[in-house]
Amino acid sequence: MSDIVLQLQDIETCYGKIVALRGINLVVKKGQIVALLGANGAGKSTTLRTISGLVKSSAGKIMFLGNDITRSPAHETVRNGLIHVPEGRRIFKGMTVQENLDLGSFTLKDDGVRKKRMERVFGLFPILEKRRKQDAGLLSGGEQQMLAMGRALMNEPKLLLLDEPSMGLAPFLVQEIMRVIRQLNASGATILLVEQNAKAALKLAHYGYVLETGKIVMENDGNSLQNDARIVNAYLGN
Amino acid sequence: MSNLDIILQQLANGLILGSFYSLVALGYTMVYGIIKLLNFAHGDIYMVGAFIGFSILSVVSGILGDGWTGIVATMALSMIAVGFIGVIIQRIAYRPMLQAPRLSILITALAVSLILYNLVMSITDGEFKAFTVGLGYEGISMGEVYITFTQMVLVSATAVLMTILHLFINKTMYGKAMRAISIDQDACRLMGIDVNRVIAVTFFVGSALAAAAGVMAGVYYGSIHFFMGFVIGLKAFTAAVMGGIGSIPGAMLGGLILGLLESFGTQIPFIGSEWKDVFAFGILILLLVFKPTGLLGRTEIERM
């Protein structure tokens, strides 16, 4: 049981009167990449937003590393090592690349550690080092995604929630991002990945869940999902 | 007076006026940047700053005298006190309204303004209070131009405060967080930034700067009044809009430009100094017509 990083029990979330999640149960184990698949509006992003505390669940329980974080505000769950890279990247345009990365380590007091982490991020994404003094708003879409992930890594995540990291990117950049995700995972990060690009996500994922209108309708290990006829028909195409 | 003398003299007058405007405009622009509120109570914070300074000075002058030592101590203490008043107002009046429609919080700000100035009016019986300081009128004269040491010190003090603010905004984590919140609050939460806390810090800094301006105005003009915040509130708002509301360098620049425009406006033939407010607001209208984002403002596109 101790290798469970994240566990959602019967999570329900509403936006006003609209019910977005209708009892989600999922488990992410240490060292895994878990994919969360589903069509537009199925509730994938809402699931991540509920986990990180940006929206409050109306019922259910979220356990992170053995602690109940159901009611924790977003800025507190971050301090425990749960980092959410939101959909659309949400980098701070108008601030420099370096300032964006600095803010990623807002909770950190030690400048020496901050510098070490930044070097590690620059190792993963060398382009960010070249552009460190530039306005983040001037980066290309792929570079912005790298910055969003780099900013998250500045916080040394124990669990990384990635929302559509490949959205709007050219195919070779999608591959690049997926390569980095695999690399992060190999160096010990546990990842919950939301993707429209089910094919790319299932190639990486150890385990996957399929969401449909706020409910989990299918779950299995990555390989089985990849070969499941229903998944192939609905999300992977032929 | 020769033309050059007039220009120099008005430059000096404009700089000091502009200093007051800039310091108050900074609070406007910082609060707008972070929670998109036009804090119409901010002029009254400046006025409260002057009165708090007045009370503190009456105690401090007994210990440190009413020269510069006493004044600097008064200013520092007033800035801290008014900073906390700003935080308390934010906590009680504005924070509960943050999720409400924008108009509701604007009306709240007007209410806070009414409360503050009526409160000070009833405490002071609506009377002018003499802000007695022991500064002479010594200065340097260049031909017909005369600039007092007081003027020079006040302008320098403004420059020092702005430099400190600039370093705070650009070099410290809290300053960066402040700018980031004005861009994307949810993204800030995901970085572990306690948004409410940073908003409180913003109100502290903005109110403290207004208090500094209030004390300086007391020192400079020699008397204070419960209504003194009204016009400067409008002028500082004008300055903030001129510079581009939300932009910190814009507020500094807008304040100085407005101060200079007003003092030089008094020199236009047939337009006497009683027209200087018309001049200031006329410029605002022209600017809103031709460059609505202000001098240093960014174009914001409201997406549907």
Short mmCIF file of all heavy atoms in Angstrom, two decimals, chain A residues 49 52 54 74-75 78-79 83-84 86 90 92-95 99 102-107 114 151 155, chain B residues 169-170 173-177 179-181 183-195 198 298:
data_model
loop_
_atom_site.label_atom_id
_atom_site.label_comp_id
_atom_site.label_asym_id
_atom_site.label_seq_id
_atom_site.Cartn_x
_atom_site.Cartn_y
_atom_site.Cartn_z
N ARG A 49 -7.55 19.63 -11.98
CA ARG A 49 -7.79 20.86 -11.22
C ARG A 49 -8.31 20.56 -9.82
O ARG A 49 -8.03 21.29 -8.87
CB ARG A 49 -8.75 21.78 -11.96
CG ARG A 49 -8.14 22.37 -13.24
CD ARG A 49 -9.18 23.05 -14.12
NE ARG A 49 -9.81 24.19 -13.46
CZ ARG A 49 -9.25 25.40 -13.42
NH1 ARG A 49 -8.10 25.61 -13.99
NH2 ARG A 49 -9.86 26.37 -12.78
N SER A 52 -5.25 19.27 -7.72
CA SER A 52 -4.31 20.31 -7.28
C SER A 52 -4.97 21.36 -6.39
O SER A 52 -4.29 22.18 -5.80
CB SER A 52 -3.65 20.99 -8.48
OG SER A 52 -4.60 21.64 -9.27
N LEU A 54 -7.33 23.66 -7.34
CA LEU A 54 -7.83 24.88 -8.00
C LEU A 54 -9.35 24.93 -7.95
O LEU A 54 -9.94 26.00 -7.87
CB LEU A 54 -7.37 24.94 -9.46
CG LEU A 54 -5.93 25.38 -9.71
CD1 LEU A 54 -5.62 25.37 -11.19
CD2 LEU A 54 -5.66 26.75 -9.12
N ALA A 74 -4.71 25.21 -3.32
CA ALA A 74 -3.69 24.85 -4.30
C ALA A 74 -2.28 25.18 -3.83
O ALA A 74 -1.36 24.38 -3.98
CB ALA A 74 -3.98 25.56 -5.62
N HIS A 75 -2.11 26.37 -3.24
CA HIS A 75 -0.74 26.78 -2.91
C HIS A 75 -0.13 25.93 -1.80
O HIS A 75 1.08 25.94 -1.60
CB HIS A 75 -0.67 28.27 -2.58
CG HIS A 75 -1.41 28.68 -1.35
ND1 HIS A 75 -0.84 28.66 -0.12
CD2 HIS A 75 -2.69 29.10 -1.17
CE1 HIS A 75 -1.72 29.07 0.77
NE2 HIS A 75 -2.85 29.33 0.17
N VAL A 78 1.10 22.32 -3.33
CA VAL A 78 2.39 22.49 -4.02
C VAL A 78 3.54 22.24 -3.05
O VAL A 78 4.53 21.60 -3.39
CB VAL A 78 2.49 23.91 -4.61
CG1 VAL A 78 3.89 24.19 -5.11
CG2 VAL A 78 1.47 24.09 -5.72
N ARG A 79 3.40 22.75 -1.84
CA ARG A 79 4.49 22.62 -0.87
C ARG A 79 4.78 21.16 -0.51
O ARG A 79 5.86 20.83 -0.06
CB ARG A 79 4.16 23.40 0.41
CG ARG A 79 4.42 24.88 0.23
CD ARG A 79 3.75 25.72 1.29
NE ARG A 79 3.49 27.04 0.73
CZ ARG A 79 4.33 28.07 0.86
NH1 ARG A 79 5.44 27.95 1.55
NH2 ARG A 79 4.04 29.23 0.30
N ILE A 83 2.77 18.89 -8.19
CA ILE A 83 2.88 20.03 -9.10
C ILE A 83 2.04 19.80 -10.35
O ILE A 83 2.14 18.77 -10.99
CB ILE A 83 4.35 20.27 -9.52
CG1 ILE A 83 5.28 20.22 -8.32
CG2 ILE A 83 4.46 21.60 -10.25
CD1 ILE A 83 5.09 21.30 -7.31
N HIS A 84 1.25 20.78 -10.68
CA HIS A 84 0.30 20.71 -11.78
C HIS A 84 0.75 21.65 -12.90
O HIS A 84 0.91 22.84 -12.67
CB HIS A 84 -1.07 21.12 -11.22
CG HIS A 84 -2.18 21.16 -12.22
ND1 HIS A 84 -3.44 21.58 -11.89
CD2 HIS A 84 -2.23 20.83 -13.52
CE1 HIS A 84 -4.23 21.52 -12.96
NE2 HIS A 84 -3.51 21.07 -13.96
N PRO A 86 -0.63 23.25 -15.95
CA PRO A 86 -2.01 23.36 -16.45
C PRO A 86 -2.10 23.35 -17.97
O PRO A 86 -1.11 23.56 -18.67
CB PRO A 86 -2.49 24.70 -15.89
CG PRO A 86 -1.25 25.49 -15.71
CD PRO A 86 -0.15 24.53 -15.39
N ARG A 90 0.11 28.29 -19.48
CA ARG A 90 -0.04 29.34 -18.47
C ARG A 90 1.29 29.87 -17.97
O ARG A 90 1.46 30.11 -16.77
CB ARG A 90 -0.87 28.83 -17.30
CG ARG A 90 -2.19 28.20 -17.72
CD ARG A 90 -3.20 29.23 -18.14
NE ARG A 90 -3.78 29.87 -17.00
CZ ARG A 90 -4.90 29.46 -16.40
NH1 ARG A 90 -5.55 28.42 -16.85
NH2 ARG A 90 -5.38 30.10 -15.36
N PHE A 92 4.13 32.90 -17.57
CA PHE A 92 3.92 34.32 -17.31
C PHE A 92 4.51 35.13 -18.46
O PHE A 92 5.71 35.38 -18.49
CB PHE A 92 4.55 34.72 -15.98
CG PHE A 92 3.99 33.96 -14.82
CD1 PHE A 92 4.78 33.10 -14.08
CD2 PHE A 92 2.65 34.10 -14.48
CE1 PHE A 92 4.25 32.39 -13.02
CE2 PHE A 92 2.12 33.39 -13.41
CZ PHE A 92 2.92 32.53 -12.68
N LYS A 93 3.65 35.49 -19.40
CA LYS A 93 4.11 36.30 -20.53
C LYS A 93 4.35 37.72 -20.04
O LYS A 93 3.59 38.23 -19.24
CB LYS A 93 3.06 36.28 -21.64
CG LYS A 93 2.89 34.90 -22.22
CD LYS A 93 1.75 34.82 -23.21
CE LYS A 93 1.60 33.36 -23.65
NZ LYS A 93 0.44 33.16 -24.51
N GLY A 94 5.40 38.33 -20.55
CA GLY A 94 5.77 39.67 -20.07
C GLY A 94 6.86 39.58 -19.01
O GLY A 94 7.41 40.60 -18.61
N MET A 95 7.15 38.36 -18.54
CA MET A 95 8.29 38.17 -17.64
C MET A 95 9.31 37.30 -18.38
O MET A 95 8.96 36.59 -19.31
CB MET A 95 7.83 37.50 -16.34
CG MET A 95 6.79 38.33 -15.62
SD MET A 95 6.20 37.60 -14.08
CE MET A 95 7.56 37.95 -12.97
N GLU A 99 12.76 34.50 -14.89
CA GLU A 99 11.80 34.88 -13.84
C GLU A 99 10.71 33.83 -13.71
O GLU A 99 10.27 33.51 -12.60
CB GLU A 99 11.20 36.25 -14.14
CG GLU A 99 12.16 37.39 -13.86
CD GLU A 99 11.62 38.75 -14.30
OE1 GLU A 99 10.85 38.81 -15.28
OE2 GLU A 99 11.98 39.73 -13.66
N ASP A 102 12.26 31.10 -11.78
CA ASP A 102 12.38 31.51 -10.38
C ASP A 102 11.06 31.31 -9.64
O ASP A 102 11.03 30.77 -8.53
CB ASP A 102 12.75 33.00 -10.29
CG ASP A 102 14.24 33.23 -10.51
OD1 ASP A 102 15.00 32.25 -10.38
OD2 ASP A 102 14.62 34.37 -10.83
N LEU A 103 9.97 31.73 -10.28
CA LEU A 103 8.67 31.63 -9.63
C LEU A 103 8.28 30.18 -9.41
O LEU A 103 7.56 29.86 -8.47
CB LEU A 103 7.62 32.36 -10.45
CG LEU A 103 7.68 33.88 -10.30
CD1 LEU A 103 6.87 34.58 -11.36
CD2 LEU A 103 7.17 34.29 -8.92
N GLY A 104 8.78 29.29 -10.30
CA GLY A 104 8.51 27.87 -10.10
C GLY A 104 9.02 27.38 -8.77
O GLY A 104 8.49 26.46 -8.18
N SER A 105 10.07 28.03 -8.27
CA SER A 105 10.64 27.63 -6.97
C SER A 105 10.29 28.65 -5.90
O SER A 105 11.09 28.90 -5.00
CB SER A 105 12.14 27.46 -7.07
OG SER A 105 12.73 28.67 -7.50
N PHE A 106 9.11 29.23 -5.99
CA PHE A 106 8.70 30.27 -5.03
C PHE A 106 8.81 29.80 -3.59
O PHE A 106 9.20 30.55 -2.70
CB PHE A 106 7.26 30.69 -5.32
CG PHE A 106 6.74 31.78 -4.41
CD1 PHE A 106 7.05 33.10 -4.65
CD2 PHE A 106 5.97 31.46 -3.30
CE1 PHE A 106 6.59 34.10 -3.81
CE2 PHE A 106 5.50 32.46 -2.46
CZ PHE A 106 5.82 33.78 -2.72
N THR A 107 8.47 28.54 -3.36
CA THR A 107 8.42 28.05 -1.98
C THR A 107 9.81 27.77 -1.41
O THR A 107 9.96 27.50 -0.22
CB THR A 107 7.60 26.75 -1.89
OG1 THR A 107 8.17 25.80 -2.81
CG2 THR A 107 6.16 26.98 -2.27
N ARG A 114 18.21 26.67 -5.60
CA ARG A 114 17.47 27.17 -6.75
C ARG A 114 18.35 27.12 -8.00
O ARG A 114 17.94 26.70 -9.06
CB ARG A 114 17.02 28.61 -6.48
CG ARG A 114 16.00 29.12 -7.48
CD ARG A 114 15.68 30.61 -7.34
NE ARG A 114 15.71 31.13 -5.98
CZ ARG A 114 14.74 30.99 -5.09
NH1 ARG A 114 13.63 30.37 -5.43
NH2 ARG A 114 14.86 31.50 -3.88
N ARG A 151 9.43 24.98 -15.31
CA ARG A 151 8.98 25.73 -14.14
C ARG A 151 8.45 24.78 -13.07
O ARG A 151 8.72 24.96 -11.88
CB ARG A 151 7.87 26.69 -14.60
CG ARG A 151 7.44 27.70 -13.60
CD ARG A 151 6.44 28.67 -14.19
NE ARG A 151 5.22 28.01 -14.62
CZ ARG A 151 4.15 28.66 -15.08
NH1 ARG A 151 4.15 29.97 -15.17
NH2 ARG A 151 3.07 28.01 -15.45
N ASN A 155 10.34 22.89 -8.71
CA ASN A 155 9.75 22.60 -7.41
C ASN A 155 10.04 21.17 -6.96
O ASN A 155 9.50 20.73 -5.94
CB ASN A 155 8.24 22.82 -7.49
CG ASN A 155 7.75 23.77 -6.45
OD1 ASN A 155 8.28 23.77 -5.34
ND2 ASN A 155 6.78 24.58 -6.79
N ILE B 169 10.23 45.04 -6.58
CA ILE B 169 9.39 44.45 -7.62
C ILE B 169 10.19 43.51 -8.52
O ILE B 169 9.70 42.48 -8.96
CB ILE B 169 8.75 45.56 -8.49
CG1 ILE B 169 7.82 46.42 -7.65
CG2 ILE B 169 8.02 44.99 -9.69
CD1 ILE B 169 6.52 45.76 -7.29
N ASN B 170 11.42 43.90 -8.83
CA ASN B 170 12.17 43.15 -9.84
C ASN B 170 13.13 42.12 -9.27
O ASN B 170 13.49 41.18 -9.97
CB ASN B 170 12.93 44.11 -10.75
CG ASN B 170 11.99 44.86 -11.65
OD1 ASN B 170 11.28 44.27 -12.45
ND2 ASN B 170 11.93 46.17 -11.48
N MET B 173 11.47 37.71 -4.54
CA MET B 173 10.48 36.71 -4.91
C MET B 173 9.06 37.28 -4.80
O MET B 173 8.22 37.03 -5.65
CB MET B 173 10.62 35.53 -3.97
CG MET B 173 10.86 34.19 -4.57
SD MET B 173 11.19 34.09 -6.30
CE MET B 173 11.74 32.45 -6.41
N TYR B 174 8.81 38.04 -3.71
CA TYR B 174 7.47 38.60 -3.54
C TYR B 174 7.14 39.58 -4.64
O TYR B 174 6.01 39.64 -5.12
CB TYR B 174 7.34 39.27 -2.16
CG TYR B 174 6.57 38.42 -1.20
CD1 TYR B 174 7.22 37.49 -0.41
CD2 TYR B 174 5.19 38.51 -1.11
CE1 TYR B 174 6.52 36.68 0.44
CE2 TYR B 174 4.47 37.70 -0.26
CZ TYR B 174 5.14 36.79 0.53
OH TYR B 174 4.44 35.98 1.36
N GLY B 175 8.14 40.37 -5.05
CA GLY B 175 7.91 41.32 -6.14
C GLY B 175 7.58 40.62 -7.43
O GLY B 175 6.66 40.99 -8.15
N LYS B 176 8.34 39.55 -7.71
CA LYS B 176 8.06 38.79 -8.93
C LYS B 176 6.68 38.16 -8.85
O LYS B 176 5.94 38.14 -9.84
CB LYS B 176 9.12 37.69 -9.12
CG LYS B 176 10.47 38.24 -9.56
CD LYS B 176 11.51 37.13 -9.64
CE LYS B 176 12.90 37.73 -9.63
NZ LYS B 176 13.95 36.72 -9.48
N ALA B 177 6.34 37.65 -7.67
CA ALA B 177 5.02 37.04 -7.51
C ALA B 177 3.92 38.07 -7.75
O ALA B 177 2.90 37.79 -8.36
CB ALA B 177 4.88 36.46 -6.11
N ARG B 179 4.03 40.64 -9.75
CA ARG B 179 3.86 40.84 -11.20
C ARG B 179 3.18 39.62 -11.82
O ARG B 179 2.32 39.76 -12.69
CB ARG B 179 5.22 41.09 -11.86
CG ARG B 179 5.76 42.48 -11.57
CD ARG B 179 7.00 42.76 -12.40
NE ARG B 179 8.10 41.92 -11.98
CZ ARG B 179 9.04 41.43 -12.78
NH1 ARG B 179 8.99 41.69 -14.07
NH2 ARG B 179 10.00 40.69 -12.30
N ALA B 180 3.57 38.44 -11.35
CA ALA B 180 2.99 37.22 -11.92
C ALA B 180 1.49 37.15 -11.65
O ALA B 180 0.72 36.73 -12.51
CB ALA B 180 3.70 36.00 -11.35
N ILE B 181 1.07 37.59 -10.46
CA ILE B 181 -0.36 37.53 -10.13
C ILE B 181 -1.15 38.43 -11.06
O ILE B 181 -2.27 38.10 -11.45
CB ILE B 181 -0.59 37.93 -8.66
CG1 ILE B 181 -0.12 36.79 -7.76
CG2 ILE B 181 -2.06 38.22 -8.39
CD1 ILE B 181 -0.26 37.07 -6.31
N ILE B 183 -0.62 38.74 -14.02
CA ILE B 183 -0.71 38.05 -15.31
C ILE B 183 -1.66 36.86 -15.22
O ILE B 183 -2.52 36.67 -16.07
CB ILE B 183 0.69 37.60 -15.79
CG1 ILE B 183 1.62 38.81 -15.91
CG2 ILE B 183 0.61 36.88 -17.13
CD1 ILE B 183 3.07 38.47 -16.11
N ASP B 184 -1.51 36.02 -14.19
CA ASP B 184 -2.29 34.79 -14.13
C ASP B 184 -2.34 34.26 -12.69
O ASP B 184 -1.39 33.68 -12.20
CB ASP B 184 -1.64 33.74 -15.05
CG ASP B 184 -2.52 32.51 -15.24
OD1 ASP B 184 -3.32 32.21 -14.35
OD2 ASP B 184 -2.36 31.85 -16.28
N GLN B 185 -3.48 34.48 -12.03
CA GLN B 185 -3.59 34.10 -10.61
C GLN B 185 -3.56 32.60 -10.39
O GLN B 185 -2.90 32.12 -9.47
CB GLN B 185 -4.88 34.66 -10.01
CG GLN B 185 -4.85 36.15 -9.79
CD GLN B 185 -5.86 36.59 -8.74
OE1 GLN B 185 -6.50 35.77 -8.08
NE2 GLN B 185 -5.99 37.89 -8.57
N ASP B 186 -4.28 31.86 -11.23
CA ASP B 186 -4.34 30.41 -11.01
C ASP B 186 -2.96 29.79 -11.20
O ASP B 186 -2.55 28.92 -10.43
CB ASP B 186 -5.33 29.76 -11.98
CG ASP B 186 -6.72 29.70 -11.38
OD1 ASP B 186 -6.85 30.06 -10.20
OD2 ASP B 186 -7.66 29.30 -12.09
N ALA B 187 -2.24 30.25 -12.23
CA ALA B 187 -0.89 29.72 -12.43
C ALA B 187 -0.02 30.00 -11.20
O ALA B 187 0.78 29.18 -10.80
CB ALA B 187 -0.26 30.32 -13.68
N CYS B 188 -0.23 31.16 -10.57
CA CYS B 188 0.54 31.48 -9.36
C CYS B 188 0.23 30.51 -8.23
O CYS B 188 1.12 30.08 -7.51
CB CYS B 188 0.22 32.90 -8.90
SG CYS B 188 1.03 34.12 -9.92
N ARG B 189 -1.06 30.17 -8.07
CA ARG B 189 -1.42 29.20 -7.03
C ARG B 189 -0.67 27.90 -7.24
O ARG B 189 -0.22 27.26 -6.30
CB ARG B 189 -2.93 28.93 -7.06
CG ARG B 189 -3.74 30.12 -6.63
CD ARG B 189 -5.15 29.73 -6.25
NE ARG B 189 -5.81 30.91 -5.75
CZ ARG B 189 -6.47 31.77 -6.52
NH1 ARG B 189 -6.60 31.53 -7.81
NH2 ARG B 189 -7.01 32.84 -6.01
N LEU B 190 -0.54 27.51 -8.52
CA LEU B 190 0.13 26.25 -8.83
C LEU B 190 1.64 26.31 -8.60
O LEU B 190 2.32 25.30 -8.67
CB LEU B 190 -0.16 25.84 -10.28
CG LEU B 190 -1.63 25.56 -10.58
CD1 LEU B 190 -1.82 25.19 -12.02
CD2 LEU B 190 -2.18 24.46 -9.68
N MET B 191 2.18 27.52 -8.39
CA MET B 191 3.59 27.65 -8.03
C MET B 191 3.76 27.65 -6.50
O MET B 191 4.86 27.83 -6.01
CB MET B 191 4.19 28.96 -8.53
CG MET B 191 3.94 29.34 -9.96
SD MET B 191 4.96 28.44 -11.08
CE MET B 191 3.77 27.24 -11.64
N GLY B 192 2.66 27.55 -5.78
CA GLY B 192 2.74 27.60 -4.32
C GLY B 192 2.67 29.01 -3.78
O GLY B 192 3.02 29.26 -2.63
N ILE B 193 2.21 29.96 -4.59
CA ILE B 193 2.12 31.34 -4.14
C ILE B 193 0.76 31.55 -3.46
O ILE B 193 -0.28 31.23 -4.04
CB ILE B 193 2.27 32.31 -5.33
CG1 ILE B 193 3.65 32.15 -5.96
CG2 ILE B 193 2.03 33.75 -4.90
CD1 ILE B 193 3.82 32.84 -7.29
N ASP B 194 0.80 32.04 -2.22
CA ASP B 194 -0.43 32.35 -1.51
C ASP B 194 -0.92 33.71 -2.02
O ASP B 194 -0.45 34.76 -1.60
CB ASP B 194 -0.15 32.39 0.00
CG ASP B 194 -1.43 32.61 0.80
OD1 ASP B 194 -2.44 33.04 0.21
OD2 ASP B 194 -1.40 32.36 2.01
N VAL B 195 -1.88 33.65 -2.96
CA VAL B 195 -2.29 34.86 -3.68
C VAL B 195 -2.83 35.92 -2.73
O VAL B 195 -2.48 37.10 -2.84
CB VAL B 195 -3.31 34.50 -4.77
CG1 VAL B 195 -3.93 35.75 -5.38
CG2 VAL B 195 -2.65 33.67 -5.87
N VAL B 198 -0.03 37.80 -1.08
CA VAL B 198 0.66 38.75 -1.95
C VAL B 198 -0.21 39.98 -2.19
O VAL B 198 0.30 41.11 -2.24
CB VAL B 198 1.06 38.08 -3.28
CG1 VAL B 198 1.74 39.07 -4.20
CG2 VAL B 198 1.99 36.90 -3.02
N ARG B 298 0.23 48.06 -21.64
CA ARG B 298 0.13 47.01 -22.65
C ARG B 298 -1.28 46.96 -23.20
O ARG B 298 -2.23 47.27 -22.51
CB ARG B 298 0.46 45.65 -22.02
CG ARG B 298 1.93 45.32 -22.09
CD ARG B 298 2.17 44.05 -21.33
NE ARG B 298 1.62 44.16 -19.98
CZ ARG B 298 1.70 43.20 -19.09
NH1 ARG B 298 2.27 42.07 -19.38
NH2 ARG B 298 1.21 43.36 -17.88
#
